[in-house]
Amino acid sequence: LAYSSIFFKNKEIAEEVILSFDRFEDLEERLYTQLFAASRGQGDVSLISVIEIVESAKNVAMAARNLAEMVVEDKELHPVIHQVLEETDETIQRVSLSESSVLANKSLKELQLGAEVGIAVIGIRRSGEKHKWIFYPTGSTQLQAGDVVIGVGSVASCDKFTELASGKLKEM
Protein backbone atom coordinates (compact mmCIF):
# COMPACT_ATOMS: atom_id res chain seq x y z
CA LEU A 1 0.00 0.00 0.00
CA ALA A 2 2.87 2.39 0.71
CA TYR A 3 4.25 2.00 -2.81
CA SER A 4 0.75 2.34 -4.25
CA SER A 5 0.17 5.55 -2.30
CA ILE A 6 3.31 7.02 -3.86
CA PHE A 7 2.70 5.62 -7.31
CA PHE A 8 -0.83 6.97 -7.44
CA LYS A 9 -0.23 10.04 -5.23
CA ASN A 10 -3.11 8.92 -3.05
CA LYS A 11 -3.23 10.48 0.43
CA GLU A 12 -6.10 8.25 1.61
CA ILE A 13 -4.06 5.11 0.92
CA ALA A 14 -1.05 6.70 2.62
CA GLU A 15 -3.18 7.42 5.69
CA GLU A 16 -4.18 3.73 5.81
CA VAL A 17 -0.47 2.80 5.83
CA ILE A 18 0.15 5.18 8.74
CA LEU A 19 -2.84 3.70 10.63
CA SER A 20 -1.42 0.22 10.03
CA PHE A 21 1.95 1.32 11.42
CA ASP A 22 0.25 2.59 14.56
CA ARG A 23 -1.46 -0.79 14.91
CA PHE A 24 1.90 -2.52 14.39
CA GLU A 25 3.39 -0.53 17.26
CA ASP A 26 0.59 -1.70 19.55
CA LEU A 27 1.19 -5.31 18.50
CA GLU A 28 4.93 -4.94 18.96
CA GLU A 29 4.51 -3.73 22.53
CA ARG A 30 2.17 -6.61 23.37
CA LEU A 31 4.54 -9.12 21.79
CA TYR A 32 7.55 -7.86 23.75
CA THR A 33 5.53 -8.02 26.96
CA GLN A 34 4.66 -11.65 26.20
CA LEU A 35 8.25 -12.50 25.24
CA PHE A 36 9.68 -11.05 28.42
CA ALA A 37 7.06 -12.83 30.49
CA ALA A 38 7.89 -16.09 28.71
CA SER A 39 11.59 -15.72 29.40
CA ARG A 40 10.95 -14.91 33.07
CA GLY A 41 13.92 -12.56 33.01
CA GLN A 42 16.38 -15.38 32.26
CA GLY A 43 17.57 -13.93 28.97
CA ASP A 44 16.33 -16.98 27.06
CA VAL A 45 18.56 -17.34 23.97
CA SER A 46 15.81 -19.13 22.03
CA LEU A 47 13.73 -15.93 22.05
CA ILE A 48 16.45 -13.87 20.36
CA SER A 49 15.41 -15.07 16.89
CA VAL A 50 11.80 -14.02 17.58
CA ILE A 51 13.01 -10.59 18.68
CA GLU A 52 15.09 -10.31 15.48
CA ILE A 53 12.00 -11.11 13.39
CA VAL A 54 10.01 -8.44 15.22
CA GLU A 55 12.78 -5.90 14.65
CA SER A 56 12.96 -6.77 10.94
CA ALA A 57 9.19 -6.40 10.61
CA LYS A 58 9.39 -3.05 12.39
CA ASN A 59 12.05 -1.85 9.93
CA VAL A 60 9.78 -2.74 7.01
CA ALA A 61 6.79 -1.09 8.68
CA MET A 62 8.81 2.07 9.38
CA ALA A 63 9.96 2.23 5.76
CA ALA A 64 6.34 1.90 4.59
CA ARG A 65 5.25 4.64 7.00
CA ASN A 66 8.06 6.91 5.77
CA LEU A 67 6.95 6.42 2.16
CA ALA A 68 3.34 7.14 3.10
CA GLU A 69 4.33 10.27 5.01
CA MET A 70 5.99 11.60 1.84
CA VAL A 71 2.59 11.49 0.16
CA VAL A 72 0.65 12.92 3.10
CA GLU A 73 3.15 15.78 3.51
CA ASP A 74 3.30 16.49 -0.26
CA LYS A 75 7.06 16.00 -0.38
CA GLU A 76 8.72 16.19 -3.77
CA LEU A 77 9.27 12.82 -5.41
CA HIS A 78 12.10 11.82 -7.72
CA PRO A 79 11.54 12.94 -11.37
CA VAL A 80 11.52 9.31 -12.58
CA ILE A 81 8.49 8.62 -10.38
CA HIS A 82 6.72 11.62 -11.91
CA GLN A 83 7.45 10.28 -15.40
CA VAL A 84 6.00 6.86 -14.56
CA LEU A 85 2.94 8.45 -12.99
CA GLU A 86 2.23 10.43 -16.16
CA GLU A 87 2.34 7.28 -18.31
CA THR A 88 -0.14 5.20 -16.31
CA ASP A 89 -3.87 5.11 -16.87
CA GLU A 90 -4.56 3.19 -13.65
CA THR A 91 -5.22 4.58 -10.23
CA ILE A 92 -6.04 3.33 -6.75
CA GLN A 93 -9.11 4.18 -4.71
CA ARG A 94 -10.10 3.78 -1.08
CA VAL A 95 -13.83 3.61 -0.44
CA SER A 96 -15.99 3.04 2.62
CA LEU A 97 -18.98 0.80 2.02
CA SER A 98 -22.21 2.43 3.17
CA GLU A 99 -25.23 0.55 4.49
CA SER A 100 -27.10 1.48 1.31
CA SER A 101 -24.39 0.27 -1.09
CA VAL A 102 -25.37 -2.41 -3.61
CA LEU A 103 -21.94 -3.95 -2.91
CA ALA A 104 -22.68 -4.64 0.77
CA ASN A 105 -23.31 -8.23 1.87
CA LYS A 106 -22.22 -9.72 -1.44
CA SER A 107 -19.19 -11.83 -2.29
CA LEU A 108 -16.55 -10.63 -4.73
CA LYS A 109 -17.45 -13.55 -6.99
CA GLU A 110 -21.10 -12.43 -7.00
CA LEU A 111 -20.16 -8.84 -7.74
CA GLN A 112 -17.67 -9.52 -10.56
CA LEU A 113 -16.19 -6.05 -10.01
CA GLY A 114 -13.43 -6.66 -12.55
CA ALA A 115 -15.84 -7.42 -15.37
CA GLU A 116 -18.69 -5.14 -14.32
CA VAL A 117 -16.82 -2.08 -13.04
CA GLY A 118 -13.19 -2.56 -14.06
CA ILE A 119 -11.92 -2.70 -10.46
CA ALA A 120 -9.55 -5.19 -8.87
CA VAL A 121 -10.02 -5.31 -5.09
CA ILE A 122 -6.58 -5.62 -3.48
CA GLY A 123 -7.43 -5.10 0.17
CA ILE A 124 -10.25 -4.78 2.67
CA ARG A 125 -10.05 -3.31 6.16
CA ARG A 126 -12.84 -4.99 8.06
CA SER A 127 -15.06 -2.69 10.11
CA GLY A 128 -15.38 -3.49 13.78
CA GLU A 129 -12.06 -5.34 13.80
CA LYS A 130 -9.43 -2.74 14.62
CA HIS A 131 -7.43 -2.42 11.42
CA LYS A 132 -7.81 -6.10 10.43
CA TRP A 133 -6.82 -6.28 6.78
CA ILE A 134 -7.74 -8.87 4.22
CA PHE A 135 -5.14 -8.72 1.45
CA TYR A 136 -5.69 -10.51 -1.85
CA PRO A 137 -9.31 -11.36 -1.04
CA THR A 138 -10.79 -14.41 -2.76
CA GLY A 139 -14.07 -14.72 -4.62
CA SER A 140 -15.76 -16.00 -1.48
CA THR A 141 -14.80 -12.86 0.47
CA GLN A 142 -17.96 -10.95 1.27
CA LEU A 143 -18.02 -7.16 1.42
CA GLN A 144 -19.76 -5.69 4.45
CA ALA A 145 -21.14 -2.25 5.25
CA GLY A 146 -18.45 -0.26 7.02
CA ASP A 147 -15.58 -2.02 5.24
CA VAL A 148 -12.81 0.12 3.81
CA VAL A 149 -12.04 -1.34 0.39
CA ILE A 150 -8.96 -0.63 -1.73
CA GLY A 151 -9.43 -1.07 -5.47
CA VAL A 152 -7.27 -0.54 -8.54
CA GLY A 153 -8.57 0.42 -11.96
CA SER A 154 -8.96 3.26 -14.44
CA VAL A 155 -10.02 6.68 -13.21
CA ALA A 156 -13.53 6.14 -14.60
CA SER A 157 -13.75 2.72 -12.94
CA CYS A 158 -12.62 4.15 -9.61
CA ASP A 159 -15.22 6.91 -9.87
CA LYS A 160 -17.97 4.35 -10.50
CA PHE A 161 -16.63 2.19 -7.65
CA THR A 162 -16.86 5.19 -5.30
CA GLU A 163 -20.46 5.88 -6.32
CA LEU A 164 -21.42 2.21 -5.85
CA ALA A 165 -19.74 2.06 -2.43
CA SER A 166 -21.44 5.25 -1.23
CA GLY A 167 -24.87 4.09 -2.32
CA LYS A 168 -25.33 6.92 -4.84
CA LEU A 169 -25.29 4.48 -7.75
CA LYS A 170 -27.72 1.59 -7.36
CA GLU A 171 -26.83 -0.50 -10.43
CA MET A 172 -23.57 -1.81 -11.76
Side-chain angles (χ1 to χ4, degrees):
L1 289 179
Y3 286 119
S4 294
S5 72
I6 284 182
F7 189 75
F8 296 112
K9 289 186 172 182
N10 189 306
K11 287 185 180 184
E12 292 176 331
I13 301 300
E15 289 166 356
E16 289 294 337
V17 172
I18 293 167
L19 282 173
S20 293
F21 179 79
D22 293 342
R23 174 75 173 131
F24 176 84
E25 285 187 314
D26 293 342
L27 291 172
E28 176 192 27
E29 184 177 321
R30 288 188 2 222
L31 180 61
Y32 278 132
T33 301
Q34 294 295 320
L35 285 172
F36 293 135
S39 72
R40 292 177 176 77
Q42 298 174 17
D44 192 344
V45 175
S46 65
L47 296 179
I48 291 175
S49 59
V50 176
I51 292 170
E52 288 173 346
I53 291 170
V54 173
E55 286 302 310
S56 294
K58 184 173 184 176
N59 288 337
V60 171
M62 286 174 58
R65 184 200 61 200
N66 291 341
L67 289 172
E69 284 177 345
M70 289 177 66
V71 175
V72 170
E73 296 170 5
D74 287 322
K75 290 189 177 175
E76 189 61 32
L77 302 174
H78 193 279
V80 171
I81 294 173
H82 288 292
Q83 183 179 359
V84 170
L85 290 171
E86 290 170 4
E87 293 177 12
T88 186
D89 56 350
E90 278 203 338
T91 190
I92 192 166
Q93 188 68 32
R94 174 184 79 168
V95 298
S96 294
L97 244 53
S98 76
E99 295 272 341
S100 61
S101 173
V102 295
L103 306 177
N105 303 315
K106 293 185 181 156
S107 72
L108 291 176
K109 184 177 182 181
E110 246 182 294
L111 292 169
Q112 295 291 309
L113 289 172
E116 296 292 327
V117 183
I119 287 291
V121 174
I122 61 169
I124 302 166
R125 181 167 45 88
R126 194 56 83 200
S127 66
E129 299 177 33
K130 190 176 178 185
H131 302 296
K132 180 179 191 274
W133 279 96
I134 301 168
F135 289 107
Y136 307 109
T138 64
S140 64
T141 304
Q142 196 168 56
L143 298 180
Q144 300 172 2
D147 284 353
V148 172
V149 183
I150 309 291
V152 176
S154 68
V155 172
S157 296
C158 285
D159 289 345
K160 185 174 182 180
F161 184 49
T162 300
E163 289 186 11
L164 288 165
S166 70
K168 290 179 186 173
L169 187 60
K170 299 292 183 188
E171 291 183 23
M172 302 234 286

